[in-house]
Amino acid sequence: MARIELRGVAHAYGPSPTSDEDWAVLPLELIWQDGGAYALLGPSGCGKTTLLNIISGLLRPTRGQVLINGVDVTAAPPQERNIAQVFQFPVIYDTMTVAENLAFPLRNRGVSRAETQARVEEVAGLLELTADLRRRASGLSADMRQRISLGRGLVRKDVAAILLDEPLTVIDPHVKWLLRRKLKQVHESLKVTLVYVTHDQVEALTLADQVVVMNQGRVVQAGTPQELFERPADTFVGYFIGSPGMNLLPCSVEEGAAVVEGQRVPLPPEVCARAKADGGELRLGIRPEFVRRVSEGTASSVRVEVAQVEELGRYRIATARLGAQVVKVRLPEEERVAAGESCWLEFPARWTTLYAGGRAVS
Amino acid sequence: MEKPTNNRAWLLVLPVLLVVAFSAVIPLMTVVNYSVQDILGPEQHVFVGTEWFRKVLRDPELHGALRRQLGFSLAVLAIEIPLGIALALVLPMRGRAASVSLVVLALPLLIPWNVVGTIWQIFARGDIGLLGVAINGLGLKYNYTADALDAWLTVLAMDVWHWTPLVALLCYAGLRAIPEPFYQAARIDGASAWATFRYIQLPRLRGVLTIAVLLRFMDSFMIYTEPFVLTGGGPGNATTFLSQYLTRLAVGQFDLGPAAAFSLIYFLVVLLFSYVFYTAMQHAGRSEAR
């Protein structure tokens, strides 16, 4: 069992990093509690895999320290850390049988034959591989190969954390959910720390208790799925999470209101004051789910022109024009709206966030 | 839907059949034709059945050449394959060092075969050659023009020098094709360098190694130019391999019938051994885990 702590960890692949672009991971502080399920979410090339390899010891960070259970393991090679890693493309030793594959990490560590066999059987049972133990590992389906590589991680008794690097990318969609459920089940029964790297927000939000969102080598926000959805700390989190993403409208602030395209959106005066103090480019953020349509204009509503309506079964997404800006609104199916209509929208202050220079104004 | 069945498909493969006929089948038939006739002169020939085959198979000189040939080819494989793998493993994988070492490694492959023979002829000379003088300087008696074993070993050393780079280059390409996560997983699984080689690198080299073994076997089994230049098959018959023997028979003594019979046997032996090696290497991969 392990608590993983990253202190000022940064990594650059080049020899002499100068600008921010030279760094794959910019200095960051993170603490992952023992037994938690964490997701590292971000677009391709944001530094997720680099960070994962730093934790497992495949990479030595250019700066900073990695602590596992309070012990500095920055310089320790992977085999000395009790960490399992599953890669995007399943790695199996295909000249061996399934059982030999599972036993391999134990054999390398000189574990006794009897104990190895007991562990292999236990893990095979957990991952539903018992029937195939004697089969040769080549020519198996992708999800089985991925289960075997997960099993090679779990077979070690002392394994403290499992790191998964987009493990479901190559799995067929119809078995993806099965494997995801299996993972969740493994996590619940073994209580190991789970770190799951993905660029798929649905995967991240369903699997993890805590999601760390990364962008361009930076951790932009770490929080529960709910926090990320309701209070994105950063405009990137706003539009990266959610489908469609958050509406982000350039605005200016006045006393007690944000002004978008000449229309006032009332906000708490202290927020407006802080936004002014923070400086930078100002944006008004609200998720399509929280925009309300009201029947007639009030002091707190804005007038928009509906440009397009997408039917999505149980709900519809309306794209509306607010002057030169575009606002997406999620409407329940019973609400009738047609393209070309104008209507009034309200942005409830509770769900509206002001962003100054990309960061949320608290 | 039912598949149409007709003979029009033959028309489509006809061009290939024609090419193969002119490049392989017709020349081969000429040899087959010679092997069953005694050519007395232009327009004068007698059908002799299997006589040439029987004669060639009983020829003690041929038996000697075949033994030397087999010993040589097996020694070539036993040295060049492991050495090639080892070289590929220690070559740098990226950067300038990688390209420089690849070029240096490939140099022997760029030298014409008879030049290789000439180089070694001088290099191994006991009186002026660097290698010959050095070995004699160590107190060992070495003279490849007089001692049979020395000659055989010199031809072997020359072949290893000439062709190990090919095996190394093939293996290098095979190693480069192994994705990084395999090595990462091995490190996390705590695999030793040997286990990484045994369970990741070697299985993934099987394809290129099959090619390397077949190429080196066939090539060394048909070796001609280099020993011809270096030793001329001597001293005595010490380095007379099958091709030299065949040339002597066909061009030297102009025994076209026995030479043709021998060519056919030679061809079948190469085919048989290649088949055995190929099957063995394919089988090695499949039967390993059970």
Side-chain angles (χ1 to χ4, degrees), chain A residues 223-292:
Chain A
T224 62
Q226 194 186 1
E227 281 167 1
L228 294 182
F229 189 74
E230 291 178 357
R231 294 261 159 251
D234 190 284
T235 47
F236 173 78
V237 180
Y239 71 73
F240 191 69
I241 288 177
S243 166
M246 195 177 218
N247 293 305
L248 292 162
L249 312 168
C251 65
S252 57
V253 284
E254 286 179 355
E255 195 63 31
V259 181
V260 182
E261 297 283 321
Q263 303 202 54
R264 281 170 58 91
V265 177
L267 286 173
E270 64 274 16
V271 173
C272 297
R274 244 177 278 132
K276 247 186 183 147
D278 285 356
E281 190 203 1
L282 291 177
R283 277 165 187 261
L284 180 84
I286 183 159
R287 291 206 174 273
E289 289 82 352
F290 298 137
V291 177
R292 276 219 324 258

Side-chain angles (χ1 to χ4, degrees), chain A residues 57-58 78-79 83 85 87 91 93-96 104-105 107-109 136 152 156, chain B residues 181-182 184-191 195 199-200 203-204 285-286 288-290:
Chain A
L58 291 171
Q79 55 268 35
I83 281 190
Q85 189 167 357
F87 299 90
V91 173
Y93 305 105
D94 50 13
T95 55
M96 301 185 196
F104 191 60
R107 251 176 52 195
N108 289 329
R109 286 172 174 78
R136 197 170 166 211
R152 276 208 320 274
R156 279 150 52 194
Chain B
F182 278 84
Q184 295 179 332
R187 283 174 69 193
I188 284 172
D189 289 340
Y199 296 111
I200 293 176
R204 268 152 204 282
R286 250 179 261 129
E288 218 161 43
R290 225 184 324 218

